[in-house]
Amino acid sequence: MKQPKQRTSSTAVPTMDAEAIRRALQRIAHEIIERNPQLTHVVLAGIPSRGVEIAQRIAAFIHQIRKINVETGVIDVAMHRDDVGTRFELPIVRESKLPLPLEERTVVVVDDVLYTGRTVRAAMDAINSFGRPSRIQLAVLIDRGHRELPIRPDYVGKNLPTSGNEKVKVQLQETDEKPDAVWLEREP
Amino acid sequence: MAGKGTMTTRWTRKDLLGLRELSADEINFILDTTDAFKQVGTREIKKVPSLRGKTLVNFFVEPSTRTRTSFELAALRLSADVINISATTSSLTKGETLKDTARNLQALHADILVLRHSSAGAPQFLANRLKASVINAGDGAHEHPTQALLDLYTIRERRGKIAGLRVAIVGDILFSRVARSNIFGLLKLGAHVTLVGPSTLVPREFEKLGVEVSYKIEDLLPKADVVNLLRIQHERQRREYFPGIGEYIRLFGLTKERAKLLKPDCLIMHPGPINRGVEIDSEVADGLHSVILDQVTNGLAVRMAVLYLCGGVSG
């Protein structure tokens, strides 16, 4: 598991604090409600590990606003990646859990950071192996640009222009056991 | 799923040769990875692209149907291309050495070699010489790591843990690679292991590994959480080791009468193929204690995990 470095690192620029993250996810919840009149058909499918937590938080906001329990799921992408064997580290595979059948449903893929788009492509592949949802949408906390595939998010918490040698670090209480925060780190 | 590890270990091995050399963390890592691959079998499309473009060679110098088929299906579900070579179709019958056969496979750019061989150490020999990943599918009386891993996975799935469980392994231990791999794996994960069988097939030397040895199955059945029955390999005519099948059944067979001694939640396992009426009665093999078919399902998932991990480690 990647452990984000301490924020005290001299090259780390704080970008979002806990309150900013809370507001961003609440806004995404509102947008999902607006875009999906049939909310009961929506599944929020998080990409492990932070995407799963973000999906749950969005579901909680939707419940606060509409008193509707939107289903959540986990979508493993490790075994659907196109770079197995070309990277030094083998991604850890985790179990996928999606409510079935997916037909007639809208699956909202949820992740923390959108970068090249390859993870999202793998997620779409994985979803298709479970069935054929009516539509797939994409929600991300951070869009940092540099897409390598024709993929765009439907819901964005924050657009964060970055350069290639920067890293976006997301830290969430539940997954990292440290307070919610996002910051930008420059490679030394 | 029960008994999840923390998934902090990294997999760095290109080969899986045996459980003796693996750490408890590595074994748990394979079992955790298996959870994810078991789930793939329940999907509408039971295939993932992890090993797309890779070539797997199933090289079985000893006959085997279930292990070979399980590896083949596992590889197909990971989108690898598969070639099967058996002893009779290979040039081994024309006098080619194992090393030359393997070098030829490497020249074809095979990425993963699954090897079943009658000589202990053959997979190690090839792993040291080939760039390809080598997976031991059983070598002599040495190890059969994927069988033990699927046994461990099945126990963990049913009981939620392995540490502290009492496991009895019954039968032909002396010649059994399944027993050896199970002993290494079970001990590393903290189970208590007792071996049971005729003294000729269960020598006291095994106690040096850290297991108990017993010659009376009735003593063990009431305490056991798992009973793993090994197949009596009667086709190998081991008459010098015990007087006959009838005597074996009388002393060590898991008959329906003996099964009454079992705890209600005891698991009956068997690597297959089962000899109904020899090491196990039909009623017991098909009964509530039996997880024999779970083992088959889990074997596929375990082999997918192993192929993914070893095949995915970049050379």
Side-chain angles (χ1 to χ4, degrees):
Chain A
M1 182 73 47
K2 303 179 279 198
Q3 278 298 329
K5 283 176 198 148
Q6 287 301 312
R7 296 176 64 183
T8 48
S9 162
S10 57
T11 54
V13 182
T15 313
M16 290 177 99
D17 59 12
E19 176 56 19
I21 292 173
R22 196 192 66 79
R23 273 186 279 117
L25 297 183
Q26 194 173 32
R27 183 168 47 72
I28 289 176
H30 277 288
E31 289 172 7
I32 290 175
I33 293 168
E34 253 175 55
R35 292 267 305 270
N36 296 281
Q38 288 187 294
L39 261 185
T40 47
H41 290 207
V42 170
V43 180
L44 301 174
I47 296 174
S49 51
R50 295 187 191 87
V52 176
E53 171 55 25
I54 293 171
Q56 307 240 323
R57 291 191 189 182
I58 295 172
F61 280 123
I62 292 175
H63 182 77
Q64 270 180 24
I65 301 161
R66 271 294 171 85
K67 303 289 171 250
I68 288 174
N69 284 317
V70 171
E71 286 193 85
T72 57
V74 177
I75 188 75
D76 161 78
V77 294
M79 62 179 91
H80 290 269
R81 292 196 64 99
D82 56 9
D83 55 0
V84 171
T86 62
R87 305 200 311 176
F88 285 115
E89 270 188 8
L90 201 57
I92 289 176
V93 277
R94 293 168 199 277
E95 202 175 335
S96 292
K97 285 187 191 120
L98 285 174
L100 296 176
L102 290 179
E103 278 66 16
E104 310 297 319
R105 284 178 175 270
T106 296
V107 178
V108 182
V109 175
V110 183
D111 204 1
D112 53 354
V113 179
L114 177 61
Y115 185 27
T116 61
R118 287 178 191 270
T119 301
V120 175
R121 185 210 56 79
M124 289 193 286
D125 259 15
I127 289 166
N128 287 332
S129 71
F130 283 87
R132 187 176 180 277
S134 303
R135 56 187 72 77
I136 299 177
Q137 299 174 345
L138 175 61
V140 294
L141 178 61
I142 305 284
D143 180 356
R144 62 166 294 190
H146 302 279
R147 216 79 72 238
E148 293 170 3
L149 295 170
I151 282 170
R152 61 158 182 79
D154 300 277
Y155 314 101
V156 183
K158 186 180 177 69
N159 283 298
L160 188 60
T162 58
S163 70
N165 63 350
E166 288 170 324
K167 271 188 180 164
V168 179
K169 296 284 187 180
V170 177
Q171 179 175 286
L172 297 177
Q173 187 65 51
E174 288 76 1
T175 50
D176 306 283
E177 291 169 354
K178 284 177 197 162
D180 290 1
V182 177
W183 66 99
L184 196 58
E185 219 172 62
R186 194 151 293 142
E187 299 265 275
Chain B
M1 202 136 301
K4 275 236 170 19
T6 49
M7 294 282 258
T8 49
T9 314
R10 285 283 175 202
W11 186 261
T12 53
R13 294 174 187 272
K14 86 171 172 71
D15 311 301
L16 177 69
L17 304 174
L19 293 198
R20 185 176 219 161
E21 68 219 37
L22 297 190
S23 67
D25 279 350
E26 284 175 307
I27 294 173
N28 279 320
F29 188 78
I30 297 173
L31 301 183
D32 289 346
T33 304
T34 301
D35 278 340
F37 284 104
K38 182 162 185 190
Q39 195 281 323
V40 173
T42 67
R43 297 184 190 178
E44 199 166 292
I45 296 170
K46 297 168 183 57
K47 191 160 178 158
V48 293
S50 307
L51 296 183
R52 191 168 55 190
K54 301 226 179 205
T55 305
L56 177 139
V57 177
N58 254 333
F59 190 25
F60 279 63
V61 180
E62 264 190 347
S64 154
T65 308
R66 69 188 58 216
T67 305
R68 184 186 60 70
T69 315
S70 182
F71 269 111
E72 182 169 0
L73 191 52
L76 292 174
R77 288 198 171 166
L78 294 169
S79 306
D81 297 311
V82 182
I83 312 169
N84 289 302
I85 303 173
S86 65
T88 46
T89 61
S90 81
S91 290
L92 287 176
T93 51
K94 299 176 190 163
E96 189 177 56
T97 64
L98 179 61
K99 189 178 170 191
D100 280 330
T101 305
R103 284 163 55 120
N104 278 284
L105 296 174
Q106 176 133 310
L108 293 171
H109 300 291
D111 300 289
I112 304 171
L113 178 64
V114 176
L115 181 68
R116 159 75 55 98
H117 202 280
S118 51
S119 299
Q124 175 84 60
F125 176 85
L126 290 185
N128 294 346
R129 285 162 180 77
L130 296 182
K131 258 169 56 191
S133 292
V134 177
I135 313 293
N136 182 2
D139 59 334
H142 177 226
E143 284 225 41
H144 190 353
T146 56
Q147 177 68 44
L149 287 167
L150 74 90
D151 292 343
L152 294 169
Y153 184 83
T154 306
I155 298 170
R156 194 180 84 161
E157 183 180 53
R158 285 299 188 110
R159 302 300 299 265
K161 58 166 189 175
I162 289 169
L165 293 184
R166 297 197 156 273
V167 182
I169 305 177
V170 185
D172 177 357
I173 311 289
L174 186 59
F175 294 98
S176 173
R177 51 195 174 214
V178 175
R180 263 176 200 72
S181 291
N182 259 288
I183 291 167
F184 296 134
L186 287 164
L187 292 178
K188 281 171 202 267
L189 299 190
H192 302 283
V193 181
T194 309
L195 311 176
V196 199
S199 57
T200 45
L201 293 175
V202 188
R204 288 255 172 226
E205 274 88 332
F206 275 99
E207 288 175 344
K208 290 179 191 154
L209 294 176
V211 300
E212 289 173 42
V213 169
S214 166
Y215 302 116
K216 201 152 187 289
I217 191 168
E218 286 84 357
D219 293 350
L220 289 166
L221 294 180
K223 289 182 285 182
D225 297 300
V226 178
V227 178
N228 200 346
L229 301 163
L230 302 180
R231 198 170 66 89
I232 289 303
Q233 308 184 30
H234 52 75
E235 74 276 16
R236 295 194 186 179
Q237 294 290 325
R238 296 238 168 81
R239 287 186 190 282
E240 64 270 37
Y241 290 100
F242 58 92
I245 296 293
E247 168 140 337
Y248 184 86
I249 297 171
R250 201 156 51 73
L251 291 173
F252 300 103
L254 188 58
T255 57
K256 42 181 200 236
E257 288 74 34
R258 284 206 177 97
K260 288 176 189 152
L261 298 171
L262 295 170
K263 292 201 283 189
D265 57 353
C266 180
L267 306 178
I268 303 291
M269 309 180 81
H270 193 299
I274 58 177
N275 296 315
R276 287 175 184 267
V278 181
E279 61 266 2
I280 185 165
D281 269 2
S282 257
E283 290 88 338
V284 185
D286 303 328
L288 290 174
H289 293 286
S290 170
V291 291
I292 295 171
L293 291 176
D294 294 35
Q295 289 175 270
V296 178
T297 306
N298 291 339
L300 182 58
V302 159
R303 291 182 176 111
M304 286 175 79
V306 166
L307 294 178
Y308 171 82
L309 291 173
C310 292
V313 170
S314 58

